[in-house]
Amino acid sequence: MSNLESDPAELVATATATVDPGEVEILEPRDVPLGGPRAMNVRRTLPQRRRSLIGGWCFIDHYGPDDVSASGGMRVPPHPHTGLQTVSWLFSGEIEHRDSVGSHAMVRPGELNLMTAGHGISHSEVSTAATTRLHGVQLWVALPSASRDTAPFFEHHVPVVGRLGDAEVRTFVGSLAGSGTAATVFSPLLGAELIVPAGSTVRVPLDESFEHGVLVDAGDVSVSGVPVARAHLAYLAPGRSALDITVGDGDARLILLGGRPLGEQIVMWWNFIGRSHDDVVRSRAEWQADVIAGGDAAGRFGEVAGYDGSALPAPELPTVRLKPRG
Ligand code: MN
């Protein structure tokens, strides 16, 4: 997916862990319309003013379940990315992915589509005609400085289902509870979907060097004793060896993310991650010149073959630059 805000702010993000390891910090979602004539809303919990990174995870969009049989669902035209990986993970529905390195793949529930943008890539995402219910998450991982100019590539992985007490675990990045994938990562990371039955408690072992986030998709959930409402994100600082998920009424679905603090300052704007304002200015200029103005189809962002329609122009750059935040 793309950041389709019409006037995105530039964000300077630094890794910080300002809460005590014993605390659970609650981050509220904000509603972001994806724009276009058939607008779809997403709930964004990262980045935000209070916190911008969990390990390398730097962007969490959560959407649905939406009945898209009438609205037409998701239709994101070709758009660029730099310096990051996109992680597409669905609970229901189907999305068709095409990119400028020639990939053409379906995103389906329980299957990871991982796109490493590195130096630069472009892609389109369209929910299929058969999709009536669209529900899932789109996540981004910021690449460490040493890897951020890597050549772009695409991967598809299907994790086996693991068990953790009463919970079903699908680990799409890293490994947990006998589930995992060989997804390529550039800093230590964990990403997993947990389905926890009503009325049960599950203890999740953690890597103490990681910070973690728990996004609640469904269910009456407490994380280590702290209630976490639907679509909210619980943040846990490094230094914990486990967390407890307690579920009341209704089966719960959660996304657990973790990673070693990135320890680098990143600059995010629109669909680009760089290390400076100038990086972002250069990426925007190359996208506009090579693709939108049709200057060089073999340029940095290439061409998405098979998409019926025009690529997405970049918004205007903001005139005000934001102060660092973490
Ligand atoms: Mn995208």
Side-chain angles (χ1 to χ4, degrees), residues 21 35 37 40 46 50 68 78 84 88 91 96 112 122 132 141 145 149 162 172 208 253 274 287:
M40 167 178 157
L46 274 191
R50 197 126 65 103
V68 298
L84 58 86
S88 302
F91 307 135
E96 184 173 25
L112 169 71
S122 55
T132 53
V141 176
S145 211
D149 274 323
F172 44 88
E208 290 191 40
R253 181 191 274 122
W287 171 250

Side-chain angles (χ1 to χ4, degrees), residues 64-95:
D66 288 331
D67 178 355
V68 298
S69 50
S71 69
M74 179 185 289
R75 185 174 180 83
V76 185
H79 61 277
H81 288 291
T82 61
L84 58 86
Q85 295 175 292
T86 63
V87 170
S88 302
W89 184 258
L90 285 178
F91 307 135
S92 64
E94 185 181 50
I95 295 170

Side-chain angles (χ1 to χ4, degrees), residues 1-6 8-9 11 13 27-34 40-49 51-63 74 76 79-89 114-115 123 125 136-143 172-173 189-191 211 213 215 231 233 255-258 262 266-273 325:
M1 197 184 299
S2 164
N3 182 357
L4 291 170
E5 287 179 282
S6 57
L11 181 98
L27 298 166
E28 292 185 7
R30 75 185 166 102
D31 287 324
V32 179
L34 286 191
M40 167 178 157
N41 280 289
V42 301
R43 298 174 292 273
R44 186 164 298 163
T45 40
L46 274 191
Q48 57 174 279
R49 190 162 295 279
R51 189 166 298 282
S52 309
L53 288 159
I54 298 177
W57 300 102
C58 62
F59 185 93
I60 303 175
D61 269 1
H62 175 213
Y63 52 90
M74 179 185 289
V76 185
H79 61 277
H81 288 291
T82 61
L84 58 86
Q85 295 175 292
T86 63
V87 170
S88 302
W89 184 258
L114 175 67
M115 186 181 78
H123 73 142
E125 292 159 294
V137 289
Q138 162 85 194
L139 314 166
W140 294 358
V141 176
L143 296 175
F172 44 88
V173 172
L189 284 179
L190 172 69
E211 50 189 341
L215 175 72
L233 179 70
I255 294 287
L256 170 66
L257 301 176
L262 192 63
I266 63 172
V267 175
M268 294 177 76
W269 179 77
W270 194 43
N271 294 303
F272 303 128
I273 293 182
R325 44 163 97 162

Side-chain angles (χ1 to χ4, degrees), residues 228-243:
V228 186
R230 281 185 195 188
H232 286 56
L233 179 70
Y235 171 81
L236 304 112
R240 301 179 78 113
S241 57
L243 66 80

